[in-house]
Amino acid sequence: MENASKALIMAGAVLIGIMILGSAIYLFNSFSDTTSNVVSVFEQKRISEFNAQFMKYENKTLRCT
């Protein structure tokens, strides 16, 4: 009987460990997605700022004198 109770305790500990590990992996993936979104927003902002330098010339006509 003593071995059976220790086996149940060990099985419970393994299940709790798997749950903790699964939660850690889920949080890591969640934070990774958030970081990817932030990087994407910054990249889009950088591209827009670069293009703004040239957009001011978009509708201008060239005058030859």
Side-chain angles (χ1 to χ4, degrees):
M1 203 53 136
E2 186 177 316
N3 289 336
S5 64
K6 286 188 178 184
L8 286 174
I9 291 172
M10 288 174 48
V14 168
L15 288 176
I16 290 172
I18 290 172
M19 288 174 44
I20 290 172
L21 185 62
S23 297
I25 291 171
Y26 172 76
L27 288 174
F28 178 77
N29 286 336
S30 177
F31 291 146
S32 175
D33 290 343
T34 303
T35 304
S36 296
N37 291 340
V38 169
V39 169
S40 176
V41 167
F42 282 137
E43 184 70 18
Q44 190 65 31
K45 182 180 177 190
R46 189 180 68 79
I47 290 170
S48 295
E49 288 174 354
F50 178 77
N51 287 339
Q53 299 172 15
F54 304 104
M55 294 297 286
K56 58 186 172 186
Y57 301 112
E58 184 176 14
N59 292 325
K60 302 269 180 162
T61 57
L62 194 60
R63 295 183 190 171
C64 295
T65 54

